[in-house]
């Protein structure tokens, strides 16, 4: 049974043994939101909008010099996200895990371009 309140599919569907909140609750506000929007961008119906939100928060995280908590359980989840993703998304997770906001933003920009190209091809 789908539980859109306690365990929404867009936060549980990555099949890595963890939900989005397991990592976002350990992060600063902006970093947590970058993770949230990247985590769900394929599943909410508007990937470009979620990628734009992820980029917006990544820019704020960079300006605020926020660091991704990547020790312990958070580090394990980041490693699982990297391993479960491919191509640009894999690179984005890797950059987020290292708090490399410049490269994360650049990668998210490339992801948005790819999504826009795919939308136009349909």
């Amino acid at each position: 049974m789908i539980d859109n309140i306690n365990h929404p599919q867009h936060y549980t569907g990555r099949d890595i043994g963890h939900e989005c909140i397991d990592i976002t609750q350990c992060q600063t506000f902006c970093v947590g939101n970058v993770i949230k929007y990247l985590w769900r961008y394929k599943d909410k119906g508007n990937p470009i909008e979620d990628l734009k939100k992820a980029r917006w928060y990544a820019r704020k995280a960079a300006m605020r010099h926020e660091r991704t908590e990547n020790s312990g359980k958070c580090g394990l989840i980041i490693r699982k996200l990297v391993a479960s993703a491919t191509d640009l998304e894999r690179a984005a997770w890797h950059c987020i895990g290292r708090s490399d906001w410049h490269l994360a933003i650049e990668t998210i920009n490339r992801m948005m371009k790819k999504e826009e190209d795919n939308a136009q091809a349909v």
Side-chain angles (χ1 to χ4, degrees):
M1 180 168 110
I2 295 176
D3 182 347
N4 283 326
I5 304 301
N6 298 301
H7 304 286
Q9 179 66 29
H10 53 272
Y11 292 134
T12 60
R14 288 197 165 258
D15 198 28
I16 61 168
H18 298 278
E19 293 186 35
C20 184
I21 196 168
D22 294 336
I23 187 169
T24 57
Q25 67 187 352
C26 305
Q27 305 297 327
T28 57
F29 183 77
C30 293
V31 173
N33 277 296
V34 173
I35 292 169
K36 173 180 73 172
Y37 287 115
L38 186 59
W39 186 294
R40 73 184 208 180
Y41 87 97
K42 292 180 186 176
D43 301 321
K44 289 283 291 191
N46 195 338
I48 295 168
E49 181 176 286
D50 275 344
L51 289 170
K52 285 180 179 179
K53 290 176 182 179
R55 180 182 63 188
W56 191 90
Y57 280 106
R59 287 175 175 158
K60 289 289 185 189
M63 289 182 346
R64 296 165 47 107
H65 305 287
E66 292 186 15
R67 306 281 308 160
T68 303
E69 173 56 54
N70 60 9
S71 63
K73 184 177 182 180
C74 290
L76 172 68
I77 295 169
I78 289 283
R79 288 190 301 277
K80 286 184 174 189
L81 288 164
V82 169
S84 70
T86 58
D87 194 32
L88 293 172
E89 184 183 343
R90 180 185 196 110
W93 286 121
H94 182 73
C95 293
I96 291 165
R98 295 183 337 176
S99 305
D100 187 338
W101 299 117
H102 174 74
L103 280 178
I105 292 163
E106 196 173 295
T107 303
I108 292 168
N109 283 335
R110 292 175 60 203
M111 291 172 73
M112 288 186 325
K113 173 76 169 104
K114 186 175 179 181
E115 289 293 329
E116 289 166 352
D117 291 347
N118 290 343
Q120 289 177 356
V122 174

